[in-house]
């Protein structure tokens, strides 16, 4: 990394290049998806807040115990578990591309 790149990053001015193989949770679990599959929450952010989950990255989601996250998914959506919810969101996203 050059000094200029480091300086820009430290100043918060460096733009992130999006990975075309990575889709953010906000895109996968958009408001339309959440409204369609839940009567109690209208956004993925609201879904996480209702479960008292502090999530800022994929790693944060991966660190949530499976049993705890599966119970929250089953309680707040029409999915039985996180894997079903994730797989459906991924399929719907891929079908719209």
């Amino acid at each position: 990394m050059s000094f200029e790149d480091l300086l820009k990053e430290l100043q918060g001015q460096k733009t992130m290049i999006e990975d075309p193989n990575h889709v953010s949770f906000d895109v996968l679990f958009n408001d339309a998806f959440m409204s369609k599959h839940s009567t109690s929450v209208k956004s993925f952010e609201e879904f996480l807040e209702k479960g008292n989950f502090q999530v800022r990255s994929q790693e944060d989601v991966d660190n949530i115990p499976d049993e705890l996250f599966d119970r929250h998914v089953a309680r707040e959506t029409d999915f039985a578990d996180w894997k079903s919810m994730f797989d459906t969101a991924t399929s719907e996203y891929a079908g719209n591309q």
Side-chain angles (χ1 to χ4, degrees):
M1 175 182 287
S2 72
F3 178 75
E4 185 177 22
D5 286 343
L6 177 61
L7 183 60
K8 285 180 182 178
E9 186 169 293
L10 291 173
Q11 291 173 337
Q13 296 175 358
K14 186 171 184 175
T15 59
M16 281 183 47
I17 298 171
E18 287 194 35
D19 178 353
N21 297 318
H22 173 76
V23 180
S24 73
F25 285 143
D26 290 339
V27 172
L28 276 182
F29 304 106
N30 59 54
D31 293 353
F33 178 88
M34 294 306 295
S35 293
K36 177 180 173 183
H37 295 286
S38 176
T39 58
S40 61
V41 295
K42 303 299 179 209
S43 71
F44 191 64
E45 182 179 346
E46 186 179 338
F47 168 78
L48 294 172
E49 287 174 2
K50 193 164 186 179
N52 292 317
F53 300 114
Q54 302 296 319
V55 174
R56 292 190 178 88
S57 68
Q58 172 70 42
E59 184 180 356
D60 291 341
V61 170
D62 293 342
N63 289 333
I64 298 171
D66 291 341
E67 183 180 318
L68 182 63
F69 209 41
D70 286 346
R71 275 187 287 161
H72 184 63
V73 168
R75 185 174 49 246
E76 299 299 332
T77 71
D78 57 9
F79 297 104
D81 55 33
W82 169 243
K83 182 177 179 347
S84 299
M85 183 175 168
F86 184 81
D87 289 348
T88 300
T90 303
S91 293
E92 287 185 15
Y93 174 80
N96 291 328
Q97 294 305 304

